[in-house]
Amino acid sequence: GAVVSQHPSWVICKSGTSVKIECRSLDFQATTMFWYRQFPKQSLMLMATSNEGSKATYEQGVEKDKFLINHASLTLSTLTVTSAHPEDSSFYICSARDFDRAPLHFGNGTRLTVT
Amino acid sequence: GQQVMQIPQYQHVQEGEDFTTYCNSSTTLSNIQWYKQRPGGHPVFLIQLVKSGEVKKQKRLTFQFGEAKKNSSLHITATQTTDVGTYFCAGRLYYKLVFGAGTILRVKS
């Protein structure tokens, strides 16, 4: 089945630094990738939709200058949390699909802790 | 804001009892998908419903899509301890998938 690899699985960083999270589709080409944020015991909140070769579409309330998304190829999307603060600590999950209306395949997620 | 409502938020059942979670949308959905997330894990796709009134079964799980394509349910018959986790519905609204809040299922053995 389709596999999405997300790296790193966890990261601890100091306030003010930037963190990059990678999301790769291993055995299919992902025309669209999605980035979600999940708080403990809560649902997945869509942050942005990433399309290969074009600018990401951000959801209302998500700062695009803070959460930089790059979808450089059909198999790789990256999320960079810039100038991280403790309130950015969360579980970030990417997902990908290979064609429109296909089910999503999720990465394992990245636990970000900002100290 | 949240456009797909899911209830209940939490359910604790005795092993062998049935379980149902419901999703409602104020907007007609193109399709609805169901995912299961085990504690500490990531969401895993279970099924997709597309047609009005569609019913699909996977062993002890029964999924329904309402006639108006605005609501859906997941029913588990005779729950087992392996069923524990959070069940999310996700409705297709235009180009994106909007997740419900999820229902946390705990099963007492």
Side-chain angles (χ1 to χ4, degrees), chain A residues 3-85:
Chain A
V3 177
V4 174
S5 173
Q6 185 173 341
H7 179 82
S9 56
W10 62 270
V11 58
I12 301 173
C13 70
K14 291 186 177 181
S15 189
T17 61
S18 295
V19 174
K20 180 185 282 188
I21 303 169
E22 289 189 351
C23 182
R24 292 179 184 272
S25 56
L26 297 186
D27 53 358
F28 66 100
Q29 292 186 326
T31 55
T32 307
M33 289 186 173
F34 301 88
W35 288 95
Y36 293 85
R37 183 172 179 176
Q38 187 176 35
F39 293 99
K41 298 184 181 180
Q42 293 190 28
S43 187
L44 298 99
M45 300 294 293
L46 179 64
M47 297 174 65
T49 302
S50 170
N51 292 295
E52 185 267 336
S54 62
K55 290 184 179 180
T57 302
Y58 289 82
E59 294 300 300
Q60 193 172 9
V62 178
E63 298 175 60
K64 60 182 180 181
D65 294 331
K66 180 166 186 62
F67 298 100
L68 299 178
I69 292 173
N70 185 292
H71 195 150
S73 74
L74 285 171
T75 60
L76 174 64
S77 178
T78 60
L79 167 67
T80 302
V81 182
T82 63
S83 187
H85 288 99

Side-chain angles (χ1 to χ4, degrees), chain B residues 51-76:
Chain B
K51 298 177 183 177
S52 168
E54 189 170 12
V55 177
K56 286 188 176 180
K57 291 191 175 184
Q58 289 180 350
K59 296 182 180 179
R60 295 178 295 105
L61 277 61
T62 302
F63 304 84
Q64 290 187 313
F65 200 12
E67 294 289 341
K69 300 181 73 173
K70 289 184 176 182
N71 58 75
S72 182
S73 66
L74 158 59
H75 179 83
I76 302 178

Side-chain angles (χ1 to χ4, degrees), chain B:
Chain B
Q2 189 82 318
Q3 293 172 288
V4 176
M5 306 300 295
Q6 187 174 356
I7 57 169
Q9 185 178 1
Y10 180 84
Q11 185 131 26
H12 202 169
V13 300
Q14 191 72 38
E15 189 174 21
E17 291 181 341
D18 292 355
F19 159 78
T20 305
T21 174
Y22 302 89
C23 276
N24 281 288
S25 169
S26 56
T27 309
T28 302
L29 303 169
S30 301
N31 62 49
I32 195 156
Q33 299 175 7
W34 285 90
Y35 293 80
K36 177 182 179 181
Q37 185 175 20
R38 293 183 181 276
H42 63 277
V44 174
F45 174 77
L46 293 178
I47 208 160
Q48 176 171 280
L49 304 172
V50 180
K51 298 177 183 177
S52 168
E54 189 170 12
V55 177
K56 286 188 176 180
K57 291 191 175 184
Q58 289 180 350
K59 296 182 180 179
R60 295 178 295 105
L61 277 61
T62 302
F63 304 84
Q64 290 187 313
F65 200 12
E67 294 289 341
K69 300 181 73 173
K70 289 184 176 182
N71 58 75
S72 182
S73 66
L74 158 59
H75 179 83
I76 302 178
T77 304
T79 55
Q80 299 175 359
T81 54
T82 52
D83 295 326
V84 297
T86 303
Y87 293 85
F88 292 99
C89 63
R92 171 100 180 191
L93 291 171
Y94 308 108
Y95 68 92
K96 60 185 179 183
L97 216 53
V98 178
F99 281 80
T103 297
I104 299 171
L105 172 63
R106 291 289 178 259
V107 180
K108 292 182 290 187
S109 60

